[in-house]
Amino acid sequence: MATERDVHRGVGFDAYPLLRPIRGKIRAENLLWNSLEHARARATWEAPLRAIQALVGRDRSVWSVWLDHESEALSWEVRVLNPNGHPPLGILEPLREILAPWVDLLPSVRDLPDYAMLGLRFDAAPPGGVGRMHVELHRRGPSPRVMQVYRVEAGGPRLAGHDVALHPKRDAHEVLAEIKASRFVSYSLDRRLLGRTLIPELFACRRLHVGRRDHCDALGFSGVNVDQLKFVHRRFDFPEPMRAYLARHRDRLEHILFDVVTEYVARDGTIAHLRTGFRSCF
Amino acid sequence: MAADLVVMIDGEGPMPGSLRSPSASPSPPSLGENFDPRPFLEFCTAHRGAPRYERVILVGDGQPLEQHGFALAEAARRGGFRRVRLDTRPWRLTNPRQVQAVVQAGVAEISVGLHATDPALHDRLRDRPGDFRDAKKCLANLARLDAEALVYIVMTSANVGQLRPVAQLAIEAGARRIDFWAYAPLDPTESEQQLLVPLDELAPRLLEAIATCRAAEVEAVIHHVPVCVLGEEGARVDATEPDHFHDHSQFWAAADPSARPRFNCLREAQCDAAEVCLGLSHAHVNRFGWELDRLRALPRTRPWRPRDRSVRRVDARGRAQAPHGHARWLDLLGAHAMGVEGVALTRSEARYPLQMPDGTRFVLVISARDDAARTFKQSRSFNLAYTDVVGPATERAIAAFVGPVLDTIIANDDGSLSLDARR
């Protein structure tokens, strides 16, 4: 159940306002557990996730659920802040310790550059198999609006892309310039393409995160309400049990703002969405 | 507060800007079969003493309309509404004596959809054979009586080439006003998407039709078309919505805002018309894109303010924050602010959703003070009213509940907050 102590955060860890009185509401993490149950992965990942929550504190990490539109597989991410740096590994060091019973987190990595956030990506482990987590770092870019994304592998961090955070309406000119400066979509070829990436049903949000990845573009819609999240579940064909769960609990989640991210390329003259995710905190 | 009040009698009547009745949609609103007229009749009694609305719009086409329509119209006429309008399908009004009876009951305006000059296209758009013939008969009957025919035209790819002739046909049939609605389906099917019209095709043909109306001195009103593509005729765009009368939970679905088309514009923050213009429907953007080549921002005379629907008045650590921005609008309600679900602020209105202990929900609406407008109460700077009632509470119970809230606003309104009175 949701409580008055809950703090609702977006991907940038800034607090979201409360949209409805908290009485009778539930916490957004129920959507996370529901998705893990649907993928039969809760038994594998609940204990590590609870350990992370115990380490960093309640409502001080951000989870996301991703749907790969080609394989139809779900995957997940947990993102935590790296408070004050703590070199040489920052938050990775205590995470490595508390997650040791379940996963080895980059045992060969000895030091990392300073970073703002750390993301742990994982998917449903094969039955009887061992779960694996992949590490990403998020570092402040040349301007406060830019966040650079690094994938960390045994050889060290590798730049994988960046995100620019903008207000959808006030910064509309910059939003358009950033979206159109794409390596993967030629918007000048078809003016309709912008309506497929800058999705009108999600445009009314608090922040847009225009992203570049090494293999696609990304667009994050931060601060969307539960009805917009329902739209995303329908529009991007999330598994029916997850859609039904969200529909059933819609009224108990209307107090929260969520984040949605789409990753896409142009293919055969239209936009092909590769992955779609949604986020909240726990 | 809107000047018009809609009473949905059943789900069979035509909705403004729609080609089909709500009951024909894939997810028809659950209006229930047993319409109870008593809440509206009670409302009329109260409204007579303190009129708030200019016009009541009775919408229906089913058995409940047959059973209660005359009583509702007569009650509305006696209940302080200056105009009573009926929105029904034209087949009901093909008999001159029937139309005469409706007019004698107090109905002064009847809206009629006319979507093409040729019967086959009109009937196809309405998905009802014979509808064109019925619409023309209905208009002919109205022309012989002291009732105003309000014609509406839904503009689609199928009829956009006929807009001027359709307007001419409506004028010749006696229309006093013509409403032009750009087709804006909610959650459209593939065939419905095909009926959408790009702006570069729509705007010039719409302007021709408007010129025809102007020449005939017939009022023309435009809905769901961006102001900036209409030049001087942009002033004809009406983005307001009537209030809905809901005194019974069975009506909630028809009033559900998420069940209506939604709109957006990428130029909103830069455009002075943003508060009077909806922009493009989501269906339109999904089909044609954001139309950036067509839309242009009209220079702003006032700064743009993003909407804020938050209820939080403390910071992340639970400390109270000094009131600022939207919090000042919450402070206007004093202790009652803790009972509202936030404030939605536009240039012209502050809207506070409220819920009563019995679950009845409504929206408290504050608009700029206008002594000429009818309103529930007034403070130094504002007209105060409530609308969008959903739930079982009676009008009297709502008035008793909201009274102390309004009195607090009146006491706290020191003139330091203001709203735009232009719309």
Side-chain angles (χ1 to χ4, degrees):
Chain A
M1 293 295 291
T3 72
E4 295 287 351
R5 291 179 288 112
D6 292 352
V7 180
H8 309 280
R9 297 182 193 279
V11 65
F13 284 87
D14 46 333
Y16 281 148
L18 189 64
L19 298 185
R20 296 282 188 281
I22 205 88
R23 194 174 54 191
K25 306 301 186 195
I26 60 174
R27 285 172 60 80
E29 68 183 67
N30 286 285
L31 295 174
L32 168 67
W33 304 129
N34 175 257
S35 70
L36 286 164
E37 279 172 13
H38 171 72
R40 299 172 190 267
R42 183 165 181 169
T44 305
W45 292 114
E46 179 167 5
L49 292 173
R50 295 283 187 204
I52 294 171
Q53 189 182 40
L55 173 71
V56 300
R58 188 170 151 116
D59 294 327
R60 298 189 67 79
S61 59
V62 172
W63 56 262
S64 54
V65 180
W66 293 84
L67 175 64
D68 184 301
H69 296 298
E70 194 165 321
S71 68
E72 299 184 357
L74 292 176
S75 61
W76 297 265
E77 185 200 23
V78 176
R79 208 174 277 193
V80 296
L81 283 171
N82 182 35
N84 306 323
H86 295 300
L89 289 173
I91 192 72
L92 178 61
E93 194 167 336
L95 281 172
R96 196 184 258 171
E97 288 174 21
I98 60 124
L99 293 174
W102 303 284
V103 290
D104 288 333
L105 271 187
L106 298 170
S108 62
V109 173
R110 304 269 178 223
D111 64 285
L112 292 171
D114 191 20
Y115 57 95
M117 288 183 285
L118 182 140
L120 297 172
R121 288 186 174 274
F122 55 98
D123 48 27
V130 179
R132 291 185 59 198
M133 281 182 157
H134 301 274
V135 177
E136 287 183 349
L137 303 183
H138 300 261
R139 306 184 67 198
R140 299 259 173 235
S143 86
R145 290 171 158 183
V146 177
M147 191 69 82
Q148 293 173 322
V149 186
Y150 289 78
R151 290 209 185 94
V152 188
E153 290 153 3
R158 179 175 61 82
L159 184 64
H162 70 267
D163 293 313
V164 183
L166 296 163
H167 191 284
K169 295 179 180 176
R170 191 180 53 225
D171 305 328
H173 290 304
E174 290 165 89
V175 166
L176 294 174
E178 286 288 343
I179 291 176
K180 289 180 176 179
S182 168
R183 289 194 294 124
F184 301 97
V185 184
S186 295
Y187 289 95
S188 57
L189 293 179
D190 185 345
R191 63 180 184 167
R192 293 174 301 179
L193 293 181
L194 187 62
R196 308 267 159 81
T197 55
L198 190 51
I199 298 168
E201 286 85 352
L202 302 177
F203 177 67
C205 63
R206 294 172 70 88
R207 284 283 182 282
L208 283 172
H209 298 264
V210 186
R212 298 269 173 271
R213 300 290 179 268
D214 44 16
H215 64 294
C216 66
D217 287 341
L219 194 52
F221 303 85
S222 286
V224 301
N225 64 29
V226 69
D227 289 323
Q228 290 171 302
L229 186 63
K230 273 178 67 182
F231 161 80
V232 168
H233 274 56
R234 190 177 71 248
R235 163 71 177 78
F236 291 103
D237 291 326
F238 272 80
E240 178 54 34
M242 290 175 63
R243 290 164 59 175
Y245 184 87
L246 181 58
R248 200 160 59 245
H249 294 286
R250 181 251 171 237
D251 290 351
R252 304 181 76 195
L253 290 163
E254 63 177 356
H255 60 303
I256 303 170
L257 289 172
F258 300 87
D259 290 1
V260 168
V261 188
T262 63
E263 293 182 350
Y264 55 89
V265 294
R267 190 180 290 162
D268 300 328
T270 188
I271 298 297
H273 287 94
L274 307 179
R275 291 198 315 162
T276 304
F278 62 95
R279 293 190 173 111
S280 188
C281 68
F282 89 118
Chain B
M1 189 181 73
D4 297 349
L5 179 69
V6 167
V7 181
M8 290 281 290
I9 301 170
D10 56 54
E12 306 296 320
M15 292 297 287
S18 299
L19 288 166
R20 318 270 161 78
S21 60
S23 61
S25 71
S27 306
S30 54
L31 290 169
E33 293 179 359
N34 301 315
F35 174 78
D36 182 357
R38 286 172 299 181
F40 181 68
L41 298 177
E42 288 172 15
F43 177 84
C44 287
T45 303
H47 190 261
R48 184 177 185 177
R52 293 155 50 193
Y53 294 98
E54 281 282 304
R55 174 186 287 107
V56 66
I57 304 171
L58 305 173
V59 183
D61 194 53
Q63 191 270 336
L65 176 70
E66 288 178 11
Q67 189 178 348
H68 304 294
F70 285 108
L72 294 175
E74 286 170 2
R77 190 185 57 181
R78 290 194 304 270
F81 294 96
R82 291 176 62 186
R83 309 289 286 175
V84 180
R85 185 173 118 192
L86 175 63
D87 283 9
T88 188
R89 290 193 288 185
W91 71 275
R92 286 194 174 276
L93 301 169
T94 53
N95 183 330
R97 280 185 296 181
Q98 175 75 355
V99 179
Q100 190 164 20
V102 168
V103 173
Q104 282 175 348
V107 174
E109 301 172 342
I110 291 175
S111 68
V112 180
L114 194 63
H115 308 293
T117 51
D118 67 281
L121 176 56
H122 174 102
D123 291 355
R124 180 160 62 83
L125 288 170
R126 291 303 293 258
D127 197 22
R128 185 175 179 275
D131 195 80
F132 180 83
R133 179 197 60 219
D134 293 343
K136 288 203 68 178
K137 272 189 192 171
C138 175
L139 288 168
N141 290 334
L142 290 173
R144 286 192 285 270
L145 293 166
D146 185 22
E148 291 190 6
L150 312 177
V151 168
Y152 66 95
I153 303 170
V154 179
M155 301 179 287
T156 69
S157 58
N159 66 356
V160 69
Q162 300 185 8
L163 288 184
R164 186 161 64 173
V166 178
Q168 187 63 44
L169 180 64
I171 291 164
E172 289 166 3
R176 304 278 180 90
R177 164 177 158 158
I178 301 178
D179 285 69
F180 295 88
W181 293 82
Y183 186 51
L186 178 71
D187 222 356
T189 62
E190 182 66 31
S191 62
E192 287 172 331
Q193 281 183 20
Q194 299 300 320
L195 289 174
L196 293 159
V197 196
L199 289 180
D200 54 358
E201 201 176 333
L202 177 71
R205 285 157 175 170
L206 173 57
L207 291 172
E208 288 174 4
I210 297 292
T212 301
C213 295
R214 197 183 327 107
E217 297 183 346
V218 168
E219 182 185 5
V221 181
I222 303 168
H223 306 268
H224 298 174
V225 180
V227 167
C228 60
V229 301
L230 296 168
E232 291 181 358
E233 304 295 0
R236 295 180 185 273
V237 170
D238 181 4
T240 60
E241 282 202 18
D243 289 345
H244 284 250
F245 180 80
H246 300 288
D247 246 279
H248 195 288
S249 56
Q250 66 183 337
F251 297 120
W252 69 270
D256 180 3
S258 66
R260 296 178 195 165
R262 304 297 289 268
F263 299 81
N264 260 316
C265 178
L266 292 188
R267 309 278 194 222
E268 177 184 330
Q270 288 78 40
C271 182
D272 203 44
E275 280 79 12
V276 295
C277 174
L278 294 172
L280 299 167
S281 72
H282 290 174
H284 188 105
V285 176
N286 281 319
R287 177 146 167 71
F288 301 115
W290 288 94
E291 300 261 25
L292 291 172
D293 299 341
R294 308 278 173 269
L295 304 181
R296 60 188 176 84
L298 307 179
R300 273 202 168 271
T301 55
R302 291 174 179 224
W304 175 77
R305 290 183 303 199
R307 294 179 187 180
D308 183 350
R309 294 184 168 85
S310 66
V311 296
R312 183 176 293 275
R313 298 174 70 241
V314 295
D315 66 15
R317 294 181 181 178
R319 297 175 303 205
Q321 293 175 322
H324 65 277
H326 290 68
R328 288 197 68 198
W329 289 92
L330 286 168
D331 271 17
L332 199 57
L333 275 65
H336 300 289
M338 300 313 292
V340 302
E341 298 177 2
V343 53
L345 196 59
T346 66
R347 193 168 68 184
S348 56
E349 281 185 345
R351 297 171 74 92
Y352 306 82
L354 277 158
Q355 184 165 346
M356 295 172 61
D358 68 355
T360 299
R361 289 182 171 207
F362 62 90
V363 179
L364 173 62
V365 182
I366 299 181
S367 53
R369 181 172 176 128
D370 179 356
D371 293 338
R374 290 175 173 155
T375 186
F376 194 67
K377 283 192 174 182
Q378 284 186 315
S379 65
R380 178 176 169 180
S381 313
F382 305 116
N383 284 358
L384 312 174
Y386 62 92
T387 183
D388 292 355
V389 178
V390 182
T394 63
E395 194 72 21
R396 191 171 301 165
I398 297 168
F401 178 82
V402 79
V405 183
L406 301 184
D407 290 342
T408 304
I409 294 172
I410 292 167
N412 288 345
D413 178 10
D414 60 3
S416 60
L417 292 169
S418 64
L419 289 163
D420 193 336
R422 282 186 290 177
R423 289 295 295 265

